[in-house]
């Protein structure tokens, strides 16, 4: 009989990002999303009525910092592990999070492969059971949580440019073409299109033809406003 899936709570104030994180987590075998909360207060309500094994926690919430929530949960006896899913890059915050039980950090924006890697490593860590035979076995168990190599982007794509394209796309609710994104960022239309297509492939953006121009219609890209089936 297969083991029960690990129960995940997504805590994220941005509804679009929350849906995306829940969608990503639900795609990883062995995990089931049992709730989404957009604030500290909503997270506490979910945790008071639902068993949760893992929290995907944004650190910037409308009613307080995510680590304040985590401190309160530990004081109340909640033992769920935490993966911080955040844009916070302050290493002092990282250290404090580790002391409170944050087992991994995933920096926004990220691809599905990045979160999948962290979740798979976490599941391997959880699956380790019994008494260790020695230091080597303890080291192997802890190593399951470490990610020495970030999930690779497709060849030719860089993380800083992907982040810049993502910001440009999110700032244009009406959508942008590859040419418009390229102009805004000072890169070629072809380069911009590669990044935009990568975001589409990862379920973070959608595309549709833009009609009304002379000649062939252009593709217009928009940040995904909700879950995309099949991703």
């Amino acid at each position: 009989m297969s083991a029960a899936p690990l129960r995940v709570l997504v805590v994220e104030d941005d509804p679009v990002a929350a849906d995306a994180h829940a969608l990503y987590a639900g795609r990883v075998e062995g995990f089931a999303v049992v709730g989404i909360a957009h604030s500290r207060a909503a997270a506490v309500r979910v945790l008071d009525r639902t068993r949760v094994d893992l929290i995907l926690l944004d650190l910037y919430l409308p009613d307080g910092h995510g680590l304040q929530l985590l401190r309160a949960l530990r004081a109340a006896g909640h033992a769920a592990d935490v993966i911080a899913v955040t844009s916070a890059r302050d290493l002092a915050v990282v250290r404090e999070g580790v002391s409170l039980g944050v087992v991994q950090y995933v920096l926004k924006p990220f691809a599905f492969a990045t979160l999948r890697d962290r979740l798979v490593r976490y599941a391997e860590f959880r699956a380790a059971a019994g008494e260790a035979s020695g230091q080597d076995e303890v080291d192997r168990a802890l190593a399951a949580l470490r990610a020495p190599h970030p999930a690779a982007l497709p060849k030719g794509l860089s993380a800083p440019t992907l982040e810049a394209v993502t910001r440009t796309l999110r700032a244009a609710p009406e959508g942008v073409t590859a040419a418009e994104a390229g102009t805004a960022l000072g890169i070629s239309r072809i380069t911009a299109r590669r990044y935009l297509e990568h975001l589409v492939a990862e379920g973070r953006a959608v595309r549709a033809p833009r009609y009304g121009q002379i000649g062939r219609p252009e593709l217009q890209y928009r940040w995904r406003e909700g879950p995309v089936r099949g991703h």
Side-chain angles (χ1 to χ4, degrees):
M1 186 173 63
S2 60
L6 295 170
R7 297 162 64 88
V8 179
L9 169 64
V10 174
V11 182
E12 164 66 59
D13 68 319
D14 181 342
V16 174
D19 286 345
H21 299 168
L23 188 68
Y24 281 3
R27 290 172 59 188
V28 180
E29 184 178 357
F31 292 85
V33 177
V34 296
I36 295 176
H38 300 303
S39 66
R40 286 177 58 194
V44 170
R45 288 194 294 270
V46 174
L47 287 160
D48 283 346
R49 66 173 185 265
T50 306
R51 181 177 65 80
V52 171
D53 299 305
L54 177 67
I55 303 171
L56 299 184
L57 178 64
D58 181 27
L59 297 185
Y60 299 124
L61 300 171
D63 52 352
H65 198 277
L67 293 186
Q68 293 175 335
L69 167 64
L70 188 49
R71 280 193 292 271
L73 293 177
R74 295 296 183 244
H78 290 287
D81 289 320
V82 173
I83 292 178
V85 180
T86 178
S87 58
R89 288 167 165 79
D90 186 340
L91 291 179
V93 173
V94 172
R95 288 193 296 271
E96 183 178 1
V98 169
S99 73
L100 291 169
V102 174
V103 296
Q104 281 280 11
Y105 274 79
V106 180
L107 290 179
K108 301 176 185 175
F110 57 87
F112 166 64
T114 300
L115 182 61
R116 178 184 59 202
D117 174 74
R118 301 310 194 271
L119 291 176
V120 168
R121 289 172 179 274
Y122 171 73
E124 291 173 354
F125 174 74
R126 288 276 304 224
E131 184 173 345
S133 59
Q135 184 68 51
D136 286 348
E137 193 166 341
V138 171
D139 290 343
R140 282 195 298 272
L142 292 175
L145 287 174
R146 302 188 189 117
H149 301 292
L153 290 170
K155 185 177 180 180
L157 300 190
S158 73
T161 304
L162 177 60
E163 186 170 356
V165 172
T166 299
R167 286 197 304 267
T168 298
L169 194 59
R170 297 195 70 172
E174 73 284 358
V176 296
T177 65
E180 291 167 343
T183 299
L185 295 169
I187 58 179
S188 72
R189 176 185 61 83
I190 293 174
T191 297
R193 183 173 180 179
R194 289 192 64 202
Y195 284 92
L196 291 165
E197 287 292 331
H198 174 71
L199 290 171
V200 170
E202 289 295 326
R204 307 306 300 270
V206 295
R207 64 172 178 257
R210 177 192 284 180
Y211 295 99
Q213 306 292 328
I214 298 174
R216 296 177 60 186
E218 293 183 278
L219 287 175
Q220 180 169 281
Y221 299 84
R222 287 186 301 104
W223 188 252
R224 189 181 59 79
E225 297 179 353
V228 178
R229 293 187 182 277
H231 283 83

